[in-house]
Amino acid sequence: MLGNVYERGLSVAVAALHEREPERLWPLVASALPELCGGENLIYKLDDWNEAGGTVGMPSEVAAAFERLGDEDLALLRAGYPFAHHYAAGPDRAPLTARRRAGRAWSTSPTARLIGEVMGADHVLAIPLPRTTAPITGCMIYRSGRDFTDDHVRAAQKLQPLLAGIEQQRQLLERLRRSTEPSVDPAADCALTPRELSVLLLLTDALTAAAIGRRLGISDRTVHKHVENIYRKLGTRDRISTVLRAQRLGLVPTPSATARSQP
């Protein structure tokens, strides 16, 4: 079962990593992830689970219901009970269900009441992104009826590295977007793929192939293959000339542009 889940999750991740628009990555994940983990719906949050603010993403079929929520209910949703305090208290990032964390208190909590009214759900499975510290980010999967099984939780844990890779890609694409003119897509002219762009951005940061691989969740060999493709497409032969050419083409920010963007 877990092998099949990982293969299906990998297919979703590959599709997401071929997207050039960062805002499209997590909606792709949201359409497939609940079923892989035994759920029915999903909410993802890419900034801290807190009551004060932050963007909440969800599939379109449940978004309409949440648009009608008032500030008090939205704050309750953002608070992430009972997971936020649990994950903030230590390094544990293992997926966890609300029932296993809060016990009987979960069923009578205001959060359980809210998701029951809005989504018709009884149970929640939290999947934090691994290695996140502050803020704690990730997603919550919802289902009705019985709680998530041990197999569902193990499936979620198996998928965590793929989710981390997708989020890393989203951040890199956002960074690229901020560094270039919105009307210009130099990567398209060079035929660089989104994944090659991610590697190029990390090359600019002077990271080793091993460090890039750890960031993106890929092997050193795959990193070297991407680097070879980048060299070929940009007509360069080494890291320094590649970075300089990428800066001239507007593919990555120049040092002066980076300095001006700092607060």
Side-chain angles (χ1 to χ4, degrees), residues 189-255:
D189 293 338
C190 299
L192 292 177
T193 67
R195 189 51 126 184
E196 288 165 356
L197 276 174
S198 300
V199 172
L200 179 58
L201 282 166
L202 295 176
L203 281 176
T204 306
D205 289 340
L207 296 182
T208 64
I212 292 173
R214 287 193 296 272
R215 288 278 191 94
L216 300 180
I218 58 179
S219 68
D220 294 7
R221 181 178 179 182
T222 301
V223 173
H224 285 300
K225 185 63 177 177
H226 286 313
V227 171
E228 289 175 7
N229 290 337
I230 294 168
Y231 286 178
R232 175 175 53 81
K233 292 177 180 181
L234 296 186
T236 55
R237 295 184 178 181
D238 56 57
R239 179 189 291 245
I240 294 177
S241 62
T242 298
V243 171
L244 292 175
R245 179 161 177 74
Q247 289 172 344
R248 288 195 298 270
L249 291 173
L251 291 166
V252 297
T254 62

Short mmCIF file of all heavy atoms in Angstrom, two decimals, residues 189-255:
data_model
loop_
_atom_site.label_atom_id
_atom_site.label_comp_id
_atom_site.label_asym_id
_atom_site.label_seq_id
_atom_site.Cartn_x
_atom_site.Cartn_y
_atom_site.Cartn_z
N ASP A 189 12.91 31.63 -23.01
CA ASP A 189 13.81 31.81 -24.16
C ASP A 189 14.96 30.82 -24.11
O ASP A 189 15.45 30.39 -25.16
CB ASP A 189 14.35 33.24 -24.18
CG ASP A 189 13.26 34.27 -24.46
OD1 ASP A 189 12.22 33.87 -25.04
OD2 ASP A 189 13.43 35.43 -24.09
N CYS A 190 15.42 30.47 -22.94
CA CYS A 190 16.54 29.54 -22.80
C CYS A 190 16.07 28.09 -22.69
O CYS A 190 16.90 27.19 -22.61
CB CYS A 190 17.35 29.88 -21.56
SG CYS A 190 18.07 31.53 -21.59
N ALA A 191 14.76 27.89 -22.67
CA ALA A 191 14.17 26.55 -22.57
C ALA A 191 14.55 25.85 -21.27
O ALA A 191 14.64 24.62 -21.21
CB ALA A 191 14.58 25.69 -23.76
N LEU A 192 14.79 26.62 -20.20
CA LEU A 192 15.07 26.02 -18.90
C LEU A 192 13.76 25.53 -18.27
O LEU A 192 12.74 26.23 -18.30
CB LEU A 192 15.74 27.01 -17.97
CG LEU A 192 17.16 27.45 -18.32
CD1 LEU A 192 17.64 28.49 -17.32
CD2 LEU A 192 18.10 26.26 -18.33
N THR A 193 13.79 24.35 -17.69
CA THR A 193 12.62 23.84 -17.00
C THR A 193 12.53 24.47 -15.61
O THR A 193 13.53 25.01 -15.10
CB THR A 193 12.71 22.31 -16.84
OG1 THR A 193 13.79 22.00 -15.95
CG2 THR A 193 12.93 21.64 -18.18
N PRO A 194 11.37 24.42 -14.96
CA PRO A 194 11.28 24.94 -13.59
C PRO A 194 12.29 24.32 -12.64
O PRO A 194 12.85 25.00 -11.79
CB PRO A 194 9.84 24.61 -13.19
CG PRO A 194 9.09 24.57 -14.47
CD PRO A 194 10.06 24.00 -15.47
N ARG A 195 12.55 23.01 -12.79
CA ARG A 195 13.50 22.35 -11.90
C ARG A 195 14.92 22.86 -12.17
O ARG A 195 15.71 23.07 -11.24
CB ARG A 195 13.44 20.84 -12.10
CG ARG A 195 14.23 20.05 -11.08
CD ARG A 195 13.89 20.47 -9.67
NE ARG A 195 13.50 19.38 -8.82
CZ ARG A 195 13.08 19.52 -7.59
NH1 ARG A 195 13.00 20.71 -7.06
NH2 ARG A 195 12.73 18.49 -6.87
N GLU A 196 15.26 23.07 -13.44
CA GLU A 196 16.58 23.60 -13.78
C GLU A 196 16.74 25.02 -13.25
O GLU A 196 17.83 25.41 -12.80
CB GLU A 196 16.78 23.56 -15.30
CG GLU A 196 16.98 22.15 -15.83
CD GLU A 196 16.83 22.03 -17.34
OE1 GLU A 196 16.49 23.06 -17.99
OE2 GLU A 196 17.02 20.93 -17.87
N LEU A 197 15.66 25.78 -13.27
CA LEU A 197 15.70 27.13 -12.69
C LEU A 197 15.99 27.07 -11.20
O LEU A 197 16.74 27.89 -10.66
CB LEU A 197 14.38 27.85 -12.94
CG LEU A 197 14.20 28.53 -14.29
CD1 LEU A 197 12.78 29.06 -14.42
CD2 LEU A 197 15.20 29.67 -14.45
N SER A 198 15.37 26.11 -10.52
CA SER A 198 15.61 25.96 -9.08
C SER A 198 17.08 25.65 -8.81
O SER A 198 17.69 26.22 -7.91
CB SER A 198 14.74 24.84 -8.51
OG SER A 198 13.38 25.12 -8.71
N VAL A 199 17.65 24.73 -9.59
CA VAL A 199 19.05 24.39 -9.42
C VAL A 199 19.93 25.60 -9.73
O VAL A 199 20.91 25.88 -9.02
CB VAL A 199 19.43 23.21 -10.34
CG1 VAL A 199 20.94 22.96 -10.32
CG2 VAL A 199 18.69 21.95 -9.90
N LEU A 200 19.58 26.36 -10.77
CA LEU A 200 20.35 27.54 -11.14
C LEU A 200 20.36 28.57 -10.02
O LEU A 200 21.40 29.17 -9.70
CB LEU A 200 19.78 28.14 -12.42
CG LEU A 200 20.45 29.42 -12.95
CD1 LEU A 200 21.93 29.21 -13.21
CD2 LEU A 200 19.74 29.91 -14.20
N LEU A 201 19.21 28.79 -9.40
CA LEU A 201 19.14 29.74 -8.29
C LEU A 201 20.03 29.31 -7.13
O LEU A 201 20.68 30.14 -6.49
CB LEU A 201 17.69 29.88 -7.82
CG LEU A 201 16.79 30.76 -8.69
CD1 LEU A 201 15.32 30.54 -8.33
CD2 LEU A 201 17.15 32.23 -8.53
N LEU A 202 20.08 28.02 -6.86
CA LEU A 202 20.91 27.53 -5.76
C LEU A 202 22.38 27.52 -6.14
O LEU A 202 23.25 27.68 -5.27
CB LEU A 202 20.44 26.14 -5.35
CG LEU A 202 19.01 26.11 -4.76
CD1 LEU A 202 18.57 24.70 -4.47
CD2 LEU A 202 18.91 26.97 -3.51
N LEU A 203 22.68 27.33 -7.42
CA LEU A 203 24.06 27.49 -7.88
C LEU A 203 24.54 28.91 -7.61
O LEU A 203 25.68 29.15 -7.22
CB LEU A 203 24.17 27.20 -9.38
CG LEU A 203 24.22 25.75 -9.85
CD1 LEU A 203 24.23 25.72 -11.37
CD2 LEU A 203 25.43 25.03 -9.30
N THR A 204 23.64 29.88 -7.81
CA THR A 204 23.98 31.28 -7.58
C THR A 204 24.34 31.52 -6.12
O THR A 204 25.14 32.40 -5.80
CB THR A 204 22.79 32.18 -7.98
OG1 THR A 204 22.42 31.88 -9.33
CG2 THR A 204 23.15 33.65 -7.87
N ASP A 205 23.75 30.72 -5.23
CA ASP A 205 24.05 30.84 -3.80
C ASP A 205 25.32 30.10 -3.40
O ASP A 205 25.62 29.98 -2.21
CB ASP A 205 22.88 30.30 -2.97
CG ASP A 205 21.68 31.21 -3.05
OD1 ASP A 205 21.85 32.40 -3.38
OD2 ASP A 205 20.56 30.73 -2.77
N ALA A 206 26.06 29.57 -4.41
CA ALA A 206 27.33 28.88 -4.18
C ALA A 206 27.17 27.60 -3.37
O ALA A 206 28.09 27.19 -2.65
CB ALA A 206 28.35 29.81 -3.52
N LEU A 207 26.03 26.94 -3.49
CA LEU A 207 25.84 25.67 -2.79
C LEU A 207 26.48 24.54 -3.58
O LEU A 207 26.54 24.57 -4.81
CB LEU A 207 24.34 25.39 -2.62
CG LEU A 207 23.54 26.36 -1.75
CD1 LEU A 207 22.11 25.89 -1.65
CD2 LEU A 207 24.15 26.50 -0.37
N THR A 208 26.95 23.54 -2.89
CA THR A 208 27.50 22.35 -3.54
C THR A 208 26.36 21.50 -4.11
O THR A 208 25.19 21.69 -3.75
CB THR A 208 28.29 21.51 -2.54
OG1 THR A 208 27.40 21.02 -1.52
CG2 THR A 208 29.40 22.33 -1.90
N ALA A 209 26.73 20.54 -4.95
CA ALA A 209 25.72 19.65 -5.51
C ALA A 209 25.01 18.88 -4.40
O ALA A 209 23.79 18.68 -4.45
CB ALA A 209 26.36 18.68 -6.50
N ALA A 210 25.77 18.46 -3.39
CA ALA A 210 25.16 17.73 -2.27
C ALA A 210 24.16 18.61 -1.52
O ALA A 210 23.08 18.16 -1.14
CB ALA A 210 26.25 17.23 -1.32
N ALA A 211 24.53 19.87 -1.30
CA ALA A 211 23.63 20.79 -0.58
C ALA A 211 22.38 21.08 -1.40
O ALA A 211 21.27 21.16 -0.87
CB ALA A 211 24.36 22.09 -0.25
N ILE A 212 22.56 21.25 -2.71
CA ILE A 212 21.40 21.48 -3.59
C ILE A 212 20.48 20.26 -3.55
O ILE A 212 19.25 20.40 -3.48
CB ILE A 212 21.87 21.77 -5.02
CG1 ILE A 212 22.59 23.12 -5.08
CG2 ILE A 212 20.69 21.77 -5.99
CD1 ILE A 212 23.24 23.42 -6.42
N GLY A 213 21.07 19.08 -3.61
CA GLY A 213 20.27 17.86 -3.56
C GLY A 213 19.45 17.76 -2.29
O GLY A 213 18.28 17.38 -2.32
N ARG A 214 20.08 18.13 -1.15
CA ARG A 214 19.33 18.10 0.12
C ARG A 214 18.20 19.10 0.11
O ARG A 214 17.11 18.82 0.61
CB ARG A 214 20.28 18.37 1.28
CG ARG A 214 21.23 17.21 1.61
CD ARG A 214 21.91 17.41 2.94
NE ARG A 214 22.78 18.58 2.95
CZ ARG A 214 24.06 18.57 2.58
NH1 ARG A 214 24.61 17.44 2.16
NH2 ARG A 214 24.80 19.67 2.64
N ARG A 215 18.42 20.29 -0.43
CA ARG A 215 17.38 21.31 -0.47
C ARG A 215 16.18 20.84 -1.31
O ARG A 215 15.03 21.10 -0.95
CB ARG A 215 17.92 22.60 -1.09
CG ARG A 215 18.88 23.37 -0.21
CD ARG A 215 18.15 24.23 0.81
NE ARG A 215 19.05 25.15 1.46
CZ ARG A 215 19.27 26.40 1.06
NH1 ARG A 215 18.65 26.87 -0.01
NH2 ARG A 215 20.10 27.18 1.70
N LEU A 216 16.46 20.22 -2.44
CA LEU A 216 15.41 19.87 -3.38
C LEU A 216 14.92 18.44 -3.25
O LEU A 216 14.00 18.03 -3.96
CB LEU A 216 15.91 20.10 -4.82
CG LEU A 216 16.32 21.54 -5.16
CD1 LEU A 216 16.80 21.62 -6.60
CD2 LEU A 216 15.19 22.52 -4.91
N GLY A 217 15.55 17.66 -2.37
CA GLY A 217 15.12 16.29 -2.17
C GLY A 217 15.46 15.39 -3.34
O GLY A 217 14.69 14.47 -3.66
N ILE A 218 16.60 15.63 -4.00
CA ILE A 218 17.03 14.81 -5.12
C ILE A 218 18.46 14.36 -4.90
O ILE A 218 19.16 14.87 -4.02
CB ILE A 218 16.91 15.58 -6.46
CG1 ILE A 218 17.74 16.87 -6.42
CG2 ILE A 218 15.46 15.89 -6.78
CD1 ILE A 218 17.70 17.68 -7.70
N SER A 219 18.93 13.41 -5.70
CA SER A 219 20.27 12.87 -5.54
C SER A 219 21.32 13.79 -6.14
O SER A 219 21.02 14.64 -6.99
CB SER A 219 20.37 11.49 -6.20
OG SER A 219 20.27 11.62 -7.62
N ASP A 220 22.59 13.61 -5.70
CA ASP A 220 23.69 14.38 -6.30
C ASP A 220 23.77 14.14 -7.80
O ASP A 220 24.03 15.06 -8.58
CB ASP A 220 25.03 13.95 -5.66
CG ASP A 220 25.12 14.32 -4.19
OD1 ASP A 220 24.10 14.79 -3.64
OD2 ASP A 220 26.19 14.14 -3.60
N ARG A 221 23.54 12.90 -8.20
CA ARG A 221 23.61 12.57 -9.62
C ARG A 221 22.58 13.35 -10.43
O ARG A 221 22.88 13.85 -11.52
CB ARG A 221 23.39 11.06 -9.81
CG ARG A 221 23.45 10.59 -11.25
CD ARG A 221 23.26 9.09 -11.33
NE ARG A 221 23.29 8.63 -12.70
CZ ARG A 221 23.11 7.38 -13.07
NH1 ARG A 221 22.91 6.44 -12.14
NH2 ARG A 221 23.15 7.03 -14.34
N THR A 222 21.37 13.47 -9.87
CA THR A 222 20.33 14.23 -10.57
C THR A 222 20.70 15.70 -10.63
O THR A 222 20.45 16.37 -11.64
CB THR A 222 18.99 14.05 -9.85
OG1 THR A 222 18.65 12.66 -9.82
CG2 THR A 222 17.87 14.81 -10.55
N VAL A 223 21.29 16.23 -9.56
CA VAL A 223 21.74 17.62 -9.58
C VAL A 223 22.76 17.83 -10.69
O VAL A 223 22.67 18.80 -11.47
CB VAL A 223 22.36 18.02 -8.22
CG1 VAL A 223 22.98 19.42 -8.30
CG2 VAL A 223 21.30 17.99 -7.13
N HIS A 224 23.73 16.94 -10.79
CA HIS A 224 24.75 17.08 -11.83
C HIS A 224 24.13 17.02 -13.23
O HIS A 224 24.58 17.74 -14.13
CB HIS A 224 25.80 15.98 -11.67
CG HIS A 224 26.75 16.21 -10.53
ND1 HIS A 224 27.55 17.33 -10.43
CD2 HIS A 224 26.99 15.47 -9.41
CE1 HIS A 224 28.28 17.26 -9.32
NE2 HIS A 224 27.95 16.15 -8.68
N LYS A 225 23.10 16.21 -13.40
CA LYS A 225 22.43 16.13 -14.69
C LYS A 225 21.75 17.45 -15.02
O LYS A 225 21.82 17.94 -16.16
CB LYS A 225 21.40 14.99 -14.67
CG LYS A 225 20.73 14.74 -16.02
CD LYS A 225 21.74 14.30 -17.06
CE LYS A 225 21.05 13.98 -18.38
NZ LYS A 225 22.02 13.60 -19.43
N HIS A 226 21.09 18.04 -14.02
CA HIS A 226 20.46 19.35 -14.24
C HIS A 226 21.51 20.40 -14.58
O HIS A 226 21.29 21.26 -15.45
CB HIS A 226 19.68 19.77 -12.99
CG HIS A 226 18.39 19.03 -12.79
ND1 HIS A 226 17.48 18.83 -13.80
CD2 HIS A 226 17.86 18.44 -11.69
CE1 HIS A 226 16.43 18.15 -13.34
NE2 HIS A 226 16.65 17.92 -12.05
N VAL A 227 22.64 20.36 -13.88
CA VAL A 227 23.70 21.34 -14.13
C VAL A 227 24.23 21.20 -15.56
O VAL A 227 24.46 22.19 -16.25
CB VAL A 227 24.84 21.17 -13.10
CG1 VAL A 227 26.04 22.03 -13.48
CG2 VAL A 227 24.35 21.55 -11.70
N GLU A 228 24.40 19.96 -16.01
CA GLU A 228 24.85 19.73 -17.39
C GLU A 228 23.87 20.34 -18.39
O GLU A 228 24.26 20.97 -19.38
CB GLU A 228 25.00 18.23 -17.65
CG GLU A 228 26.17 17.57 -16.93
CD GLU A 228 26.18 16.07 -17.13
OE1 GLU A 228 25.34 15.58 -17.94
OE2 GLU A 228 27.00 15.39 -16.49
N ASN A 229 22.58 20.15 -18.13
CA ASN A 229 21.57 20.72 -19.02
C ASN A 229 21.61 22.24 -19.02
O ASN A 229 21.44 22.89 -20.06
CB ASN A 229 20.18 20.22 -18.61
CG ASN A 229 19.97 18.76 -18.91
OD1 ASN A 229 20.64 18.18 -19.76
ND2 ASN A 229 19.05 18.13 -18.18
N ILE A 230 21.83 22.82 -17.83
CA ILE A 230 21.91 24.28 -17.72
C ILE A 230 23.10 24.80 -18.51
O ILE A 230 22.99 25.78 -19.27
CB ILE A 230 21.99 24.70 -16.24
CG1 ILE A 230 20.68 24.36 -15.51
CG2 ILE A 230 22.30 26.20 -16.12
CD1 ILE A 230 20.78 24.48 -14.01
N TYR A 231 24.26 24.16 -18.34
CA TYR A 231 25.45 24.56 -19.09
C TYR A 231 25.18 24.52 -20.60
O TYR A 231 25.53 25.44 -21.35
CB TYR A 231 26.63 23.62 -18.79
CG TYR A 231 27.26 23.80 -17.43
CD1 TYR A 231 28.30 22.97 -17.02
CD2 TYR A 231 26.83 24.78 -16.54
CE1 TYR A 231 28.91 23.10 -15.78
CE2 TYR A 231 27.41 24.92 -15.29
CZ TYR A 231 28.44 24.08 -14.91
OH TYR A 231 29.03 24.21 -13.68
N ARG A 232 24.55 23.43 -21.05
CA ARG A 232 24.30 23.27 -22.48
C ARG A 232 23.35 24.35 -23.00
O ARG A 232 23.59 24.95 -24.07
CB ARG A 232 23.70 21.88 -22.74
CG ARG A 232 23.29 21.63 -24.19
CD ARG A 232 22.83 20.20 -24.38
NE ARG A 232 21.80 19.81 -23.43
CZ ARG A 232 20.51 20.12 -23.57
NH1 ARG A 232 20.10 20.84 -24.60
NH2 ARG A 232 19.63 19.71 -22.67
N LYS A 233 22.29 24.63 -22.25
CA LYS A 233 21.29 25.59 -22.71
C LYS A 233 21.80 27.03 -22.65
O LYS A 233 21.37 27.88 -23.45
CB LYS A 233 20.01 25.44 -21.89
CG LYS A 233 19.29 24.12 -22.13
CD LYS A 233 18.06 23.96 -21.26
CE LYS A 233 17.37 22.63 -21.54
NZ LYS A 233 16.14 22.44 -20.71
N LEU A 234 22.70 27.31 -21.71
CA LEU A 234 23.23 28.67 -21.60
C LEU A 234 24.55 28.83 -22.36
O LEU A 234 25.07 29.94 -22.44
CB LEU A 234 23.43 29.04 -20.13
CG LEU A 234 22.17 29.12 -19.26
CD1 LEU A 234 22.52 29.64 -17.87
CD2 LEU A 234 21.10 29.98 -19.89
N GLY A 235 25.09 27.72 -22.89
CA GLY A 235 26.34 27.80 -23.64
C GLY A 235 27.54 28.10 -22.77
O GLY A 235 28.46 28.82 -23.18
N THR A 236 27.56 27.56 -21.57
CA THR A 236 28.66 27.80 -20.63
C THR A 236 29.31 26.47 -20.25
O THR A 236 28.80 25.39 -20.57
CB THR A 236 28.15 28.50 -19.36
OG1 THR A 236 27.07 27.72 -18.78
CG2 THR A 236 27.64 29.89 -19.68
N ARG A 237 30.45 26.57 -19.53
CA ARG A 237 31.20 25.36 -19.20
C ARG A 237 31.52 25.21 -17.72
O ARG A 237 32.05 24.18 -17.30
CB ARG A 237 32.51 25.34 -19.99
CG ARG A 237 32.30 25.22 -21.50
CD ARG A 237 33.63 25.11 -22.21
NE ARG A 237 33.46 24.95 -23.64
CZ ARG A 237 34.47 24.81 -24.51
NH1 ARG A 237 35.73 24.80 -24.05
NH2 ARG A 237 34.23 24.67 -25.79
N ASP A 238 31.27 26.25 -16.93
CA ASP A 238 31.58 26.16 -15.51
C ASP A 238 30.59 26.99 -14.72
O ASP A 238 29.79 27.75 -15.28
CB ASP A 238 33.02 26.61 -15.22
CG ASP A 238 33.30 28.02 -15.71
OD1 ASP A 238 32.58 28.95 -15.30
OD2 ASP A 238 34.22 28.18 -16.54
N ARG A 239 30.66 26.84 -13.40
CA ARG A 239 29.68 27.50 -12.53
C ARG A 239 29.77 29.02 -12.62
O ARG A 239 28.73 29.70 -12.73
CB ARG A 239 29.91 27.05 -11.08
CG ARG A 239 28.95 27.70 -10.08
CD ARG A 239 29.37 27.38 -8.66
NE ARG A 239 29.16 25.97 -8.36
CZ ARG A 239 28.28 25.53 -7.45
NH1 ARG A 239 27.54 26.39 -6.79
NH2 ARG A 239 28.17 24.25 -7.21
N ILE A 240 30.97 29.57 -12.57
CA ILE A 240 31.10 31.03 -12.53
C ILE A 240 30.55 31.66 -13.80
O ILE A 240 29.76 32.62 -13.75
CB ILE A 240 32.58 31.43 -12.33
CG1 ILE A 240 33.06 30.99 -10.94
CG2 ILE A 240 32.75 32.95 -12.49
CD1 ILE A 240 34.52 31.27 -10.68
N SER A 241 30.94 31.14 -14.96
CA SER A 241 30.44 31.72 -16.21
C SER A 241 28.94 31.52 -16.34
O SER A 241 28.24 32.37 -16.91
CB SER A 241 31.17 31.11 -17.41
OG SER A 241 30.94 29.71 -17.48
N THR A 242 28.42 30.42 -15.79
CA THR A 242 26.98 30.16 -15.85
C THR A 242 26.22 31.18 -15.02
O THR A 242 25.20 31.74 -15.46
CB THR A 242 26.69 28.74 -15.34
OG1 THR A 242 27.33 27.80 -16.19
CG2 THR A 242 25.20 28.47 -15.33
N VAL A 243 26.70 31.44 -13.81
CA VAL A 243 26.04 32.41 -12.94
C VAL A 243 26.08 33.80 -13.56
O VAL A 243 25.08 34.53 -13.58
CB VAL A 243 26.68 32.41 -11.54
CG1 VAL A 243 26.15 33.57 -10.71
CG2 VAL A 243 26.41 31.09 -10.84
N LEU A 244 27.24 34.18 -14.11
CA LEU A 244 27.36 35.50 -14.72
C LEU A 244 26.43 35.65 -15.93
O LEU A 244 25.79 36.69 -16.11
CB LEU A 244 28.82 35.75 -15.14
CG LEU A 244 29.82 35.91 -14.00
CD1 LEU A 244 31.24 36.03 -14.54
CD2 LEU A 244 29.47 37.12 -13.13
N ARG A 245 26.37 34.60 -16.76
CA ARG A 245 25.48 34.67 -17.92
C ARG A 245 24.02 34.70 -17.49
O ARG A 245 23.20 35.43 -18.05
CB ARG A 245 25.73 33.47 -18.85
CG ARG A 245 24.82 33.47 -20.08
CD ARG A 245 25.35 32.60 -21.18
NE ARG A 245 24.44 32.55 -22.31
CZ ARG A 245 24.26 33.53 -23.19
NH1 ARG A 245 24.93 34.66 -23.07
NH2 ARG A 245 23.41 33.39 -24.19
N ALA A 246 23.68 33.92 -16.48
CA ALA A 246 22.30 33.91 -15.98
C ALA A 246 21.91 35.28 -15.44
O ALA A 246 20.77 35.73 -15.61
CB ALA A 246 22.15 32.85 -14.90
N GLN A 247 22.85 35.96 -14.78
CA GLN A 247 22.58 37.31 -14.28
C GLN A 247 22.38 38.30 -15.43
O GLN A 247 21.48 39.14 -15.38
CB GLN A 247 23.72 37.76 -13.37
CG GLN A 247 23.75 37.03 -12.03
CD GLN A 247 24.98 37.33 -11.22
OE1 GLN A 247 25.97 37.86 -11.74
NE2 GLN A 247 24.95 36.99 -9.94
N ARG A 248 23.21 38.18 -16.48
CA ARG A 248 23.07 39.08 -17.63
C ARG A 248 21.73 38.87 -18.34
O ARG A 248 21.13 39.82 -18.84
CB ARG A 248 24.22 38.86 -18.61
CG ARG A 248 25.56 39.39 -18.13
CD ARG A 248 26.55 39.48 -19.29
NE ARG A 248 26.83 38.18 -19.87
CZ ARG A 248 27.80 37.39 -19.47
NH1 ARG A 248 28.59 37.75 -18.46
NH2 ARG A 248 28.01 36.22 -20.07
N LEU A 249 21.28 37.61 -18.36
CA LEU A 249 20.01 37.31 -19.03
C LEU A 249 18.80 37.63 -18.16
O LEU A 249 17.66 37.55 -18.63
CB LEU A 249 19.98 35.82 -19.41
CG LEU A 249 20.94 35.38 -20.51
CD1 LEU A 249 20.93 33.86 -20.65
CD2 LEU A 249 20.58 36.04 -21.85
N GLY A 250 19.04 37.96 -16.91
CA GLY A 250 17.92 38.23 -16.01
C GLY A 250 17.27 36.99 -15.43
O GLY A 250 16.17 37.05 -14.89
N LEU A 251 17.97 35.85 -15.54
CA LEU A 251 17.42 34.61 -14.98
C LEU A 251 17.53 34.57 -13.47
O LEU A 251 16.71 33.93 -12.80
CB LEU A 251 18.16 33.41 -15.58
CG LEU A 251 17.91 33.13 -17.06
CD1 LEU A 251 18.94 32.15 -17.59
CD2 LEU A 251 16.51 32.59 -17.27
N VAL A 252 18.54 35.20 -12.92
CA VAL A 252 18.76 35.25 -11.48
C VAL A 252 19.12 36.69 -11.11
O VAL A 252 19.61 37.44 -11.96
CB VAL A 252 19.88 34.29 -11.02
CG1 VAL A 252 19.51 32.85 -11.31
CG2 VAL A 252 21.20 34.65 -11.68
N PRO A 253 18.87 37.09 -9.88
CA PRO A 253 19.19 38.46 -9.50
C PRO A 253 20.69 38.71 -9.45
O PRO A 253 21.47 37.81 -9.12
CB PRO A 253 18.56 38.60 -8.10
CG PRO A 253 18.48 37.19 -7.59
CD PRO A 253 18.24 36.33 -8.79
N THR A 254 21.10 39.92 -9.80
CA THR A 254 22.50 40.30 -9.65
C THR A 254 22.76 40.66 -8.19
O THR A 254 21.83 40.97 -7.44
CB THR A 254 22.82 41.52 -10.53
OG1 THR A 254 22.01 42.62 -10.10
CG2 THR A 254 22.53 41.22 -11.99
N PRO A 255 24.01 40.65 -7.74
CA PRO A 255 24.29 41.01 -6.34
C PRO A 255 23.75 42.37 -5.96
O PRO A 255 23.25 42.57 -4.87
CB PRO A 255 25.83 40.96 -6.28
CG PRO A 255 26.20 39.99 -7.35
CD PRO A 255 25.22 40.20 -8.47
#
